[in-house]
Amino acid sequence: MEKFLDEVLIEVTAGHGGAGSMHFRREKYVEFGGPDGGDGGIGGNIIIRANLSMVTLDRYLTKRRFRAQDGFPGEGNERSGKKGEDLILFVPLGTQVFDEESGELLYDFVKDDGEFQVVKGGRGGKGNTHFKSSTHQTPKFSQPGEDGEYKHLRLSLKLLADVGIVGLPNAGKSTLLSKITEAHPKIAGYAFTTLSPNLGVVKRKGDIYRYTMADIPGIIEGASKGIGLGLSFLRHIERVKGILYVFDAAALDIKEDFKMLQSELRSYNPELLNRPHLIVLNKIDIWEDQSFTEEVLKSVSSLGRVIPISAQEELNLEELLSVMDSTFFQKELEELHFNEEEHRENSDE
């Protein structure tokens, strides 16, 4: 089973530069051969590159030290050594690269074509041909290559989700994700089923546009202080445009649960409370009394826009998606509509 690893420390060392050559040419009709030692090759760089097929940093679980190839030494006849091969390290989209010693953010992989040279290979040494002069015609020395750069890095993954689904354990978040996206998370009827974030893609308007949703493991009181599973994954909703708070509609005190969830988000990152949000009351299929549903809706109406659904029975899911469109993606929809109108006008011409 793949382990979801979203933070790891690694060490990276670029290649050492190749040594310059100390060499003298030997020619049949030349009484004194001149210096002709070539330069050493540059050491290989280490480059970090985004890989869309990766969703976790688990490949760095067992190997933590990486070194690029050293440059090759120079040779006679002024032949330069070959450059060391670059080493490419792949990371999931959304990975941040920090210098562990200074804490500086070096690069943030927010684009799928992202690439970052994290350490540079050492320069190759000069061959003895460079040190020939009128007063020193037979230099018997050359330069060694330089060390490649070294860094101690922290790779920290923050999923690039557009919408984060948060709630208490067993609220039905994974079931909801599985019904409105193509994700297939593990689902069971007990607390803490989800041990890692699940990602799914929602396709809207005949697949004209898409957005990504992340199901964050169930949060319990104290998550921001390290209790339970939620804290480990709160980072994965830091980039979202909107948050779905999902509750079991039969919960005893939804208002108090909502207050607790917001308190945990505030403790982790207060800015999260400024994101647009929707309240989702799940599992309304467990009773048949519509008036009771209305009563529950009325009791929590002060929390924001509330949508009652049954993820399991697929009740009101289209309504939920429509409200999400207008609440979280209004700007994108307006731009899409503008582009469609512009295209239509150009076609008419």
Side-chain angles (χ1 to χ4, degrees):
M1 180 180 176
E2 181 181 50
K3 178 179 176 60
F4 186 85
L5 187 66
D6 57 5
E7 189 162 88
V8 66
L9 298 177
I10 65 171
E11 297 177 37
V12 291
T13 307
H16 193 288
S21 170
M22 189 189 72
H23 189 272
F24 296 90
R25 66 179 181 272
R26 297 288 182 264
E27 297 180 18
K28 186 175 182 179
Y29 300 106
V30 178
E31 185 176 359
F32 301 104
D36 68 348
D39 299 340
I42 301 171
N45 309 308
I46 294 186
I47 296 167
I48 303 180
R49 183 179 296 166
N51 184 339
L52 292 177
S53 67
M54 291 177 62
V55 294
T56 170
L57 294 166
D58 68 300
R59 67 171 57 183
Y60 301 106
L61 185 61
T62 55
K63 185 176 181 181
R64 302 291 181 93
R65 291 183 175 88
F66 300 89
R67 184 184 181 96
Q69 187 179 40
D70 294 339
F72 289 76
E75 300 178 15
N77 200 24
E78 299 186 7
R79 288 177 294 184
S80 295
K82 181 182 175 183
K83 179 185 181 300
E85 287 189 14
D86 293 340
L87 177 62
I88 310 294
L89 301 179
F90 292 99
V91 296
L93 197 61
T95 299
Q96 295 179 311
V97 182
F98 292 90
D99 185 312
E100 178 62 11
E101 295 178 1
S102 68
E104 178 188 1
L105 174 62
L106 302 177
Y107 197 83
D108 193 353
F109 285 90
V110 295
K111 295 183 179 179
D112 56 9
D113 59 351
E115 181 175 284
F116 173 56
Q117 179 180 292
V118 65
V119 285
K120 184 179 180 181
R123 290 190 302 177
K126 299 293 186 183
N128 67 340
T129 188
H130 282 276
F131 303 103
K132 177 183 176 181
S133 67
S134 59
T135 58
H136 197 180
Q137 295 188 2
T138 58
K140 296 180 180 179
F141 61 89
S142 59
Q143 290 181 332
E146 295 182 352
D147 290 335
E149 293 180 337
Y150 164 86
K151 279 190 171 66
H152 189 198
L153 303 176
R154 174 163 51 90
L155 304 181
S156 180
L157 172 62
K158 291 182 180 179
L159 298 179
L160 288 177
D162 298 303
V163 179
I165 309 175
V166 299
L168 298 177
N170 206 25
K173 302 182 302 298
S174 296
T175 301
L176 174 60
L177 186 74
S178 71
K179 296 293 184 179
I180 62 178
T181 75
E182 296 179 349
H184 300 287
K186 178 183 176 183
I187 299 169
Y190 52 87
F192 298 124
T193 300
T194 306
L195 299 180
S196 64
N198 291 302
L199 278 177
V201 177
V202 179
K203 300 178 181 180
R204 298 294 291 153
K205 308 292 184 182
D207 205 12
I208 293 177
Y209 78 97
R210 302 180 176 190
Y211 55 85
T212 306
M213 298 184 68
D215 159 31
I216 305 304
I219 299 173
I220 63 172
E221 190 166 7
S224 60
K225 297 179 177 65
I227 300 174
L229 296 172
L231 170 69
S232 303
F233 304 108
L234 285 175
R235 77 180 65 174
H236 298 298
I237 61 171
E238 285 193 85
R239 305 181 193 260
V240 298
K241 297 176 182 177
I243 298 175
L244 287 185
Y245 292 91
V246 179
F247 301 95
D248 184 335
L252 294 177
D253 195 338
I254 294 173
K255 280 189 173 181
E256 192 61 30
D257 291 342
F258 178 72
K259 182 179 178 181
M260 184 275 288
L261 287 174
Q262 287 215 310
S263 175
E264 294 303 319
L265 295 188
R266 183 185 296 108
S267 297
Y268 181 76
N269 182 351
E271 201 277 326
L272 288 173
L273 299 188
N274 297 326
R275 309 292 168 84
H277 73 270
L278 294 171
I279 308 297
V280 178
L281 298 186
N282 192 21
K283 305 182 183 180
I284 61 169
D285 59 296
I286 62 176
W287 58 76
E288 297 181 356
D289 188 352
Q290 179 62 29
S291 62
F292 183 70
T293 301
E294 295 296 332
E295 189 177 317
V296 175
L297 288 173
K298 185 177 181 180
S299 70
V300 297
S301 60
S302 62
L303 304 182
R305 181 73 181 272
V306 185
I307 299 94
I309 69 164
S310 168
Q312 184 63 44
E313 300 300 324
E314 302 185 15
L315 295 175
N316 292 348
L317 295 188
E318 183 56 40
E319 177 188 351
L320 171 61
L321 290 170
S322 295
V323 175
M324 288 171 59
D325 289 345
S326 59
T327 304
F328 302 146
F329 305 104
Q330 186 62 41
K331 181 179 178 181
E332 288 81 354
L333 287 171
E334 289 175 356
E335 291 178 352
L336 181 63
H337 179 71
F338 174 79
N339 291 335
E340 288 177 341
E341 289 291 330
E342 188 174 43
H343 178 72
R344 189 177 298 111
E345 290 176 2
N346 291 335
S347 298
D348 292 341
E349 293 177 0

